[in-house]
Amino acid sequence: MPQWYGRRGATAVTPTTGVTGTGDRGRRWPVPPSLLLGLAPLVAFAAVSAWRSPPSDDYDSLGRTVDSVVHALVLPEGIAVVVLALYVTALGWWRTATVDPGRTPMRWTMTAPVLIVVVCAAKLPFVGWSSLPGHYFVLLTVGVLFVGLFEELLTRGVLLVGLRRRLPEFGVWIASCVLFGLLHLLNVLAGAPVGSTLLQVVFAASFGSTLYLSRRLTGNLLLPVLLHAFWDFGSIAVSATVDTGDLASLLPVGAIGLVAFGVLAFGLVAGGMVAWHDDRPRRLRRRWRDVPPVGVDAGQGAEPRLPTVA
């Protein structure tokens, strides 16, 4: 179990219950977890994204050319990964941000990430592999891996460390999904239509539940990163290569999109159930609170009090 040390002693932090227990050792690195430190990189990322995203009329063309992939994905996301990695290293949060010592026992929920893989794989036959040079797809793969690594370390990593310091796991699940979805509102500043962006926010928040679930199932961030990258690769590659006038391709792609709605809804329910299950011991403690030992508060000669159930 990872440990953080405060001024008055050692503090153990579990993946679902937050800080518990103290010891007698003095403060040492890593830095103790806090909600402020967990939110700081997300706020900074939002501010930088808003600053460098002047409105444009070519938002829909982003990622459709080699030059766009390099300048809109590979370079900025690569820089973001390096900066976030330095932040996590400075805090000493690598293990707690990327590893959950305990995994959820609800193994049936693995169906949700498996269905995401199926949806992503179903898009690949509709990618126009010959319509763009081979190095476009290589660069796109690198770019989406950077996106997956950065956004998962940001939201399912550092943010979770901060949220778990203050919230029960069900609240952590809700807050991480909502904040992940709201990040996509920044696309409006880059010229994306408001209506489609709001739909993207809902999609992203729902997808965030399956990504959260993937961490809870595997105990680390690898599967969320790969799922995130695979999803983005299929979405961008299809938009970049499918002819909008080709109904033979558009109809099945649209059908896959409808199926994706159902898959994301299932992931939303499954993620919520896992987080709710993780909080069961906490709910039981609140229901059956500890009471003072018999006679502790009884005056001399008074009849001892019996413990009561709150």
Side-chain angles (χ1 to χ4, degrees), residues 12 33 62 86 94 162 165 174-176 227 238-239 265 267 273 280 295 301:
L62 294 178
L86 291 174
W94 275 109
R165 182 66 179 87
I174 293 175
S176 63
L227 284 180
V238 168
S239 345
M273 291 181 68
R280 184 171 182 271

Side-chain angles (χ1 to χ4, degrees), residues 22-49:
T22 58
D24 296 325
R25 288 176 284 186
R27 168 175 279 183
R28 296 191 313 192
W29 183 82
V31 177
S34 75
L35 180 58
L36 179 61
L37 292 175
L39 286 171
L42 185 142
V43 174
F45 169 69
V48 171
S49 298

